Amino acid sequence: MPEGTGTSRRPWEVAVAHGKRLAVTAEDLLQRTLSTAGLRQPDSTIAADAQDYWRRPKGSRWAADSHWREAPAFRGTDLWDRIGADHLDLFEAGARMAGFSRSWDRVVEWGCGGGANAVRFAPRAKEFIGVDISRESLEECGRQIASVCDTAFQPVAVEVANPESALGDIDGVCDVFLCFYVFELIPSPEYGERLLRVAHDLLAPGGLALIQIKYETGDWRTKPRRRSYRRGLANMTTYPIHGFWELAGRCGLVPRGVRLVPRNELDERYAYFFLSKE
Ligand SMILES: C[S@@+](CC[C@H](N)C(=O)[O-])C[C@H]1O[C@@H](n2cnc3c(N)ncnc32)[C@H](O)[C@@H]1O
């Protein structure tokens, strides 16, 4: 999620920003203490809160969180453009490493948001399928694709509680499955297992997935939050790196490599997994 970037700020603005960061840290520690004490919220409650948050546009924080190009947080920077450009470079490097050389006729992006990745991957595909909770983000993704290419776009809306419904809405299989800046904000690690099984079912044999997660380090403050979705949505779900590797294997995907990004301009502790379906 982008924070205020770039422009020089007055001392009182710096002090207010610092105070806000302290308040956020204190709130996060409180929620984690409650979770560690066993006061977790059930997945169904977190899923309902997630649905409520993402479903409709709600101003500039929502637009930034959904990675819409025109969000104030991206204005005057090239950050939005670099999201998709960097992911395309990474995918191409991973595809070479994994020996994935087939054409990308069908690409699925899970949680496509405002289309930052779609504008880079769709021109390389015959068909681009975007899956998201928000119909408005799906429309925005479609507009962004249409501004760069005439690749066919299929928007697929899902409810947080039922990601498996996408299997009924998408006919046939895909060559490439992508998911960026989404696993950190799903309700729980167990929900992520459901998404991996959906990815497995959507991929054609020989297909390649690139899935980004946020990793935990062993420090209790980096574990899944499991409470109070709206105030800590970018830290809801984390995995140990080896844990996600093994989980993907149990879901029928073969881990081919992982790239770690300990920090970038949006956040920290990212791991990108290349997973193939044999
Ligand atoms: C941070 S944005 C990322 C957008 C895009 N992937 C990118 O990298 O720019 C997160 C997106 O995931 C969507 N989302 C949240 N929970 C989801 C879920 N359980 N399944 C599918 N999409 C979800 C949100 O509506 C939002 O559009």
Side-chain angles (χ1 to χ4, degrees):
M1 311 284 162
E3 288 182 32
T5 43
T7 52
S8 60
R9 294 184 294 175
R10 297 188 180 90
W12 67 266
E13 288 176 316
V14 174
V16 169
H18 184 62
K20 276 189 188 163
R21 269 199 300 277
L22 283 180
V24 168
T25 306
E27 197 271 345
D28 191 52
L29 288 178
L30 170 65
Q31 297 301 341
R32 287 177 185 288
T33 305
L34 293 171
S35 271
T36 308
L39 297 173
R40 298 172 172 180
Q41 288 180 320
D43 263 26
S44 54
T45 303
I46 300 177
D49 290 349
Q51 182 74 36
D52 185 52
Y53 180 72
W54 293 106
R55 187 196 296 265
R56 296 245 174 284
K58 293 181 180 66
S60 52
R61 179 192 162 195
W62 184 93
D65 286 350
S66 302
H67 292 183
W68 279 39
R69 176 174 228 146
E70 296 308 323
F74 291 114
R75 255 182 237 147
T77 77
D78 63 353
L79 193 49
W80 192 87
D81 289 306
R82 279 189 286 116
I83 291 173
D86 290 351
H87 285 154
L88 180 60
D89 287 348
L90 181 63
F91 184 83
E92 285 179 324
R96 279 194 297 278
M97 175 197 65
F100 176 80
S101 54
R102 64 203 272 168
S103 62
W104 320 349
D105 290 346
R106 277 186 123 198
V107 175
V108 170
E109 185 183 6
W110 196 276
C112 57
N117 302 295
V119 294
R120 299 291 178 160
F121 285 83
R124 302 279 300 272
K126 289 201 179 110
E127 188 184 353
F128 189 94
I129 300 168
V131 181
D132 208 287
I133 303 307
S134 156
R135 289 180 192 274
E136 278 84 353
S137 281
L138 287 167
E139 284 166 16
E140 171 65 4
C141 184
R143 282 190 291 272
Q144 293 295 337
I145 290 176
S147 74
V148 295
C149 64
D150 52 17
T151 299
F153 173 58
Q154 185 189 349
V156 174
V158 292
E159 300 273 313
V160 178
N162 187 18
E164 291 83 6
S165 69
L167 295 171
D169 292 332
I170 299 173
D171 260 350
V173 288
C174 66
D175 305 293
V176 172
F177 180 96
L178 305 169
C179 189
F180 304 118
Y181 294 112
V182 174
F183 264 69
E184 67 206 68
L185 45 83
I186 58 177
S188 67
E190 295 75 24
Y191 183 96
E193 178 168 351
R194 290 169 64 190
L195 292 191
L196 283 170
R197 293 192 188 282
V198 170
H200 171 268
D201 290 354
L202 284 176
L203 265 183
L208 186 65
L210 176 52
I211 297 179
Q212 178 201 37
I213 63 152
K214 196 174 265 185
Y215 59 84
E216 61 170 88
T217 60
D219 183 327
W220 69 286
R221 287 167 299 187
T222 67
K223 287 190 178 302
R225 189 169 141 115
R226 296 194 186 265
R227 290 183 54 84
S228 184
Y229 185 85
R230 190 179 285 243
R231 305 193 68 168
L233 51 90
N235 289 297
M236 289 311 292
T237 291
T238 55
Y239 299 86
I241 294 162
H242 67 282
F244 193 78
W245 184 281
E246 286 165 10
L247 178 64
R250 287 199 296 279
C251 294
L253 295 164
V254 181
R256 307 299 299 270
V258 59
R259 163 80 68 91
L260 302 187
V261 178
R263 173 165 283 284
N264 66 15
E265 285 161 277
L266 293 174
D267 208 341
E268 61 179 8
R269 288 184 284 112
Y270 286 120
Y272 290 87
F273 286 82
F274 295 93
L275 308 166
S276 62
K277 178 166 166 179
E278 307 276 285

